[in-house]
């Protein structure tokens, strides 16, 4: 997979997450300011440059895998058979890790996934006053000259649980990737979690 550089477009955060998919040739990211946010005091203004890419699956606390299905407009944690696991379609993620001068804020990461030989990147956008988690067709940039709606801060879930992590949306403090039960699905959402609160729905195991 080849990676290209794209400029960056910040989005305004909101609440009440939804999920959408859109086919795009590349991220819509016009040039932005240096990577600084009001939500992260002390974060130095500096461009983000990709340091490495990890190839992982993402599990929730129920040992279910995150599966992206653009044709059904769904991204959810599901029980997966060994045969489905081998195919890896929509469940083998590339976790793009970026250099940071402030490790206390968390490791900046972005997510992409292959579905039927097409690459989709995860991003967050506001739609009708609601925060939306989306997977759009396109490549993840190697560098960010400014803040971005595809960056999440990766930190340990708790000090005593080093194998699990939580992923905070970089443009909105306290909003984390999580799952929400809807019918028979555990859908991927953004969820507001108070400081110090231990919420198992934001607990993610990369492997």
């Amino acid at each position: 997979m080849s990676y290209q550089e794209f400029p960056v477009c910040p989005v305004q955060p909101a609440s009440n997450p939804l999920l959408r998919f859109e086919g795009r040739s590349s991220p819509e990211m016009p040039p932005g300011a240096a990577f600084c946010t009001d939500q992260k005091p002390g974060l130095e203004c500096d461009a983000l440059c990709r340091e490495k890419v990890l190839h992982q699956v993402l599990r929730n606390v129920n040992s279910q895998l995150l599966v992206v299905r653009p044709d059904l407009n769904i991204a959810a944690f599901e029980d997966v058979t060994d045969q489905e696991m081998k195919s890896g379609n929509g469940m083998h993620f590339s976790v793009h890790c970026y250099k940071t001068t402030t490790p206390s804020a968390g490791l900046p990461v972005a997510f992409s996934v292959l579905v039927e030989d097409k690459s989709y990147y995860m991003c967050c956008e506001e739609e009708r006053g609601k925060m939306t988690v989306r997977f759009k067709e396109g490549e993840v940039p190697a560098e960010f000259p400014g803040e971005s709606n595809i960056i999440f801060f990766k930190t340990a879930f708790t000090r005593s649980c080093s194998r699990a992590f939580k992923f905070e949306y970089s443009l909105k403090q306290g909003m984390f990737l999580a799952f929400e039960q809807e019918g028979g699905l555990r859908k991927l959402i953004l969820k507001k979690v108070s400081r110090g609160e231990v919420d198992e729905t934001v607990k993610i195991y990369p492997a």
Side-chain angles (χ1 to χ4, degrees):
M1 184 187 302
S2 62
Y3 295 98
Q4 305 176 36
E5 294 186 6
F6 295 94
V8 181
C9 176
V11 297
Q12 296 299 319
S15 58
N16 299 328
L18 296 174
L19 178 71
R20 295 288 186 273
F21 292 87
E22 290 186 1
R24 302 288 175 87
S25 59
S26 63
E28 296 179 350
M29 299 178 181
F35 188 80
C36 294
T37 67
D38 294 337
Q39 292 81 16
K40 295 290 179 180
L43 187 61
E44 296 181 16
C45 293
D46 195 7
L48 290 181
C49 298
R50 184 166 53 219
E51 187 172 34
K52 60 183 177 180
V53 179
L54 304 176
H55 300 286
Q56 299 177 319
V57 295
L58 304 177
R59 295 183 182 273
N60 65 3
V61 69
N62 305 106
S63 297
Q64 296 173 310
L65 262 62
L66 180 60
V67 182
V68 178
R69 303 184 189 277
D71 58 329
L72 300 177
N73 197 34
I74 291 174
F77 289 93
E78 304 178 9
D79 295 314
V80 175
T81 66
D82 291 341
Q83 189 63 33
E84 290 172 328
M85 182 79 171
K86 288 179 181 179
S87 72
N89 195 38
M91 63 188 75
H92 287 183
F93 287 81
S94 293
V95 183
H96 306 257
C97 305
Y98 295 83
K99 295 179 182 178
T100 177
T101 56
T102 56
S104 61
L107 176 67
V109 300
F111 299 92
S112 64
V113 62
L114 281 177
V115 182
E116 297 181 352
D117 297 324
K118 293 182 180 180
S119 181
Y120 294 83
Y121 64 92
M122 184 192 299
C123 66
C124 300
E125 295 182 347
E126 180 185 2
E127 182 177 287
R128 298 177 182 177
K130 296 180 180 180
M131 182 58 70
T132 304
V133 179
R134 296 186 176 183
F135 282 85
K136 294 184 178 181
E137 187 178 338
E139 304 292 340
V140 172
E143 295 184 3
F144 291 93
E147 59 187 18
S148 172
N149 65 344
I150 75 171
I151 290 292
F152 298 83
F153 291 119
K154 175 185 176 182
T155 56
F157 180 68
T158 62
R159 292 182 180 180
S160 61
C161 187
S162 59
R163 293 190 305 108
F165 298 88
K166 53 188 177 182
F167 296 89
E168 184 177 18
Y169 180 40
S170 64
L171 299 184
K172 182 66 174 178
Q173 188 177 33
M175 295 292 289
F176 293 85
L177 291 177
F179 67 84
E180 179 180 62
Q181 190 76 33
E182 184 176 313
L185 293 175
R186 289 186 169 97
K187 289 189 174 182
L188 181 68
I189 63 166
L190 277 182
K191 183 176 184 179
K192 180 71 175 179
V193 178
S194 303
R195 184 177 299 275
E197 179 183 355
V198 178
D199 188 325
E200 295 284 311
T201 66
V202 307
K203 190 176 187 179
I204 295 177
Y205 294 87

